[in-house]
Amino acid sequence: MDSLFDAAESGEDREQRLEDLSRQVAVCTKCDLSQSRTNTVFGSGDPYSPLMLVGEGPGANEDATGLPFVGRAGKLLDDILAAVDLTRDQVYLTNTVKCRAAVEEGGKMKNRQPRTTEIRACNPYLQAQFETIKPGIILCLGGPAAKTIIDKDFKITRDRGQWREAYGAMAMATFHPAYVLRQQGEELNQTKRQVWQDVQNVYAEYQKIMEKRS
Ligand code: URA
């Protein structure tokens, strides 16, 4: 896997490095998720953004299109970003695993959480994305991303909203948009308030970095 890091550290531009990496991902067979995928879902957005958002893994819509966060959770993510005047084109979006994890239930394929072995197999790609994009801020969407990136003992209900350090960046986790969509009534209102608060804190740091750049 050394070649991934070499690619990330060479003098090529970021688009080219990400393109090379995405080609490697497209033919990856490191775990069984490669057997059932339609498309790999590498990532999208601005490779020069100071803010990288990392979700869990592609669902059915993402598997069908090859793009991250294009289903209902993605629509909510767009709304969350819009609340702080950001669009998905101003950030870089990716996932802990680049292929859909699914299980057959009653003749239908349903999304499942990626296994630790699958996340581990895919991790060098995510690390190479971090090394290429060099985000100042990483926002983990949901517990699995936070456990992968920030701390294996991370508990999303206990630790969300707190700044940590990961891959040389300020890192925070908030609830995954799909989790928000599963809440109802007062739980839903509270979860939304928490996510909105977290994203506002993230945006404040994003603005500081953008001001320094200008
Ligand atoms: N959920 C994720 O975690 N990632 C996606 O890309 C879509 C839904």
Side-chain angles (χ1 to χ4, degrees):
M1 197 46 68
D2 279 350
S3 63
L4 293 184
F5 298 103
D6 293 348
E9 272 157 25
S10 75
E12 305 156 36
D13 66 59
R14 293 184 190 184
E15 285 92 342
Q16 188 58 55
R17 284 183 233 159
L18 292 173
E19 180 62 36
D20 292 347
L21 263 176
S22 86
R23 274 176 220 244
Q24 292 184 49
V25 167
V27 294
C28 177
T29 53
K30 284 164 171 289
C31 79
D32 286 347
L33 296 184
S34 61
Q35 304 297 307
S36 50
R37 72 177 176 227
T38 311
N39 288 295
T40 53
V41 180
F42 180 70
S44 72
D46 178 5
Y48 296 91
S49 175
L51 174 57
M52 225 171 126
L53 274 64
V54 186
E56 185 176 311
N61 295 300
E62 291 78 20
D63 177 64
T65 59
L67 294 168
F69 284 100
V70 289
R72 275 184 75 217
K75 171 77 187 73
L76 179 57
L77 182 60
D78 286 336
D79 293 345
I80 293 167
L81 289 171
V84 288
D85 260 345
L86 283 176
T87 66
R88 63 169 61 214
D89 296 338
Q90 293 173 287
V91 302
Y92 192 87
L93 274 179
T94 192
N95 285 297
T96 59
V97 294
K98 313 303 191 216
C99 297
R100 183 187 184 199
V103 62
E104 199 188 315
E105 256 179 49
K108 281 193 176 171
M109 294 308 280
K110 290 205 159 179
N111 295 340
R112 65 162 172 81
Q113 279 203 348
R115 300 191 179 98
T116 310
T117 49
E118 293 158 349
I119 293 176
R120 220 175 268 150
C122 214
N123 200 247
Y125 299 126
L126 179 61
Q127 287 195 27
Q129 286 175 304
F130 287 143
E131 297 202 359
T132 304
I133 295 162
K134 302 183 183 65
I137 311 160
I138 299 170
L139 179 61
C140 302
L141 301 172
K147 281 178 196 283
T148 305
I149 295 161
I150 300 178
D151 178 354
K152 66 175 175 32
D153 298 322
F154 198 95
K155 285 203 169 57
I156 191 76
T157 46
R158 184 190 62 195
D159 302 326
R160 57 142 277 279
Q162 297 172 22
W163 286 113
R164 304 286 185 88
E165 201 268 336
Y167 296 96
M170 301 173 70
M172 186 196 280
T174 195
F175 293 118
H176 193 289
Y179 173 83
V180 179
L181 287 171
R182 289 196 297 273
Q183 307 306 302
Q184 289 180 339
E186 188 41 41
E187 288 290 329
L188 174 62
N189 293 335
Q190 191 190 328
T191 311
K192 273 191 176 172
R193 273 197 299 273
Q194 289 169 316
V195 172
W196 259 247
Q197 183 62 58
D198 296 343
V199 170
Q200 264 156 21
N201 290 336
V202 165
Y203 185 61
E205 296 303 324
Y206 170 91
Q207 275 181 309
K208 283 186 204 165
I209 298 176
M210 293 309 271
E211 275 163 26
K212 275 193 205 147
R213 283 186 184 183
S214 64

